[in-house]
Amino acid sequence: MTLDFSITLSDADLQQFVNARSHRSKKAREKARKEGPASIIAAAREALKEARATSLPEFVATRLNHLDTIIAMVEDVGFGLPQENLDNALATLAYFSSAEDIVPDGVPILGYLDDAIVIELCARELQPEIDAYEDFSRWRDNEATRRGVSTAGLTLGRVEWAEARREEALERIHRRRDESYTGGWAPMLFRVH
C-alpha cells in the first residue's frame, strides 16, 4: 500500500531553507578558510554514506543522488567551478553534513526532508553548471580515450572544452552550408551585367 501526499512550499517557506543554507554558508566559508573545502566534502561524503545506509523515501534518495555530481564538480579542478557557484555548492554540502538541521536527520522518514529540499534548491540554481559539467566530463573522457591515456592523466580544462565546442559548432555551420549548396547553385551577392 502506498500513500501519496503533496506539500506545497510557498516562496516564504522556501526562503526559510535559503536562509538556513545561507547561515550554513557563512559557517562553511569559515570552515573552508580554516580547513579547506576538502573537510566539507569529506564530511558530506560521510553523511551521504550514513544516509544511504538508512531507508529513505524516494523523494529524498533521488535528491541525494545530486550530491555525487555536486561533489564531483567541486573537486574537479579542470572544470573550475566559478566562485559563486562553488560557494553555493559548499554551503549545500555543509548544510547536508551539519548536525544542526531544521529537521534532525535521525527522525524516521522525515529526517532528511529538509536536506532534500536544500539539495533540490541548489541543483536548480546550478542546473546550467551541472549540464555543462556532464558535457565537460563526457568530452574529457572521449579525449582521454582518443589519446589513449587515463582521464586522470589529462590536464584539460574548461578553456580547452569550450574551444572544442566552438570548433564543433563552426564545423556544423560549414557542413550545413556545404550541404545546402550542392547541385550547382551558389548565392550571389552582386551580379554585374
Side-chain angles (χ1 to χ4, degrees), residues 138-150:
R138 279 190 303 274
W139 171 79
R140 186 172 50 192
D141 290 346
N142 290 338
E143 280 298 304
T145 301
R146 188 177 69 77
R147 295 176 186 201
V149 298
S150 73

Side-chain angles (χ1 to χ4, degrees), residues 2-134:
T2 62
L3 171 68
D4 289 336
F5 71 93
S6 64
I7 300 171
T8 303
L9 298 173
S10 69
D11 288 343
D13 297 332
L14 289 175
Q15 190 59 46
Q16 291 182 30
F17 290 98
V18 170
N19 292 344
R21 188 179 64 188
S22 251
H23 177 68
R24 298 295 186 279
S25 176
K26 290 175 190 170
K27 287 184 176 184
R29 279 194 293 272
E30 290 170 13
K31 185 176 182 178
R33 273 192 286 267
K34 288 180 187 174
E35 304 172 27
S39 65
I40 294 171
I41 294 167
R45 274 203 172 105
E46 185 60 33
L48 187 55
K49 182 179 167 186
E50 291 172 13
R52 285 181 171 155
T54 65
S55 179
L56 298 170
E58 186 179 337
F59 172 84
V60 172
T62 302
R63 273 46 184 197
L64 292 186
N65 289 333
H66 291 311
L67 289 180
D68 294 320
T69 303
I70 292 170
I71 290 170
M73 282 191 331
V74 168
E75 288 185 313
D76 196 327
V77 177
F79 184 64
L81 195 61
Q83 190 63 49
E84 182 179 340
N85 294 334
L86 179 62
D87 290 344
N88 186 354
L90 287 173
T92 298
L93 295 175
Y95 182 89
F96 174 70
S97 61
S98 173
E100 302 171 20
D101 285 298
I102 293 173
V103 180
D105 294 342
V107 175
I109 300 172
L110 301 176
Y112 287 99
L113 183 60
D114 61 319
D115 298 284
I117 292 169
V118 168
I119 293 165
E120 180 66 21
L121 291 172
C122 178
R124 286 182 182 192
E125 288 175 27
L126 294 180
Q127 195 58 56
E129 285 294 327
I130 290 170
D131 292 344
Y133 182 69
E134 289 170 352

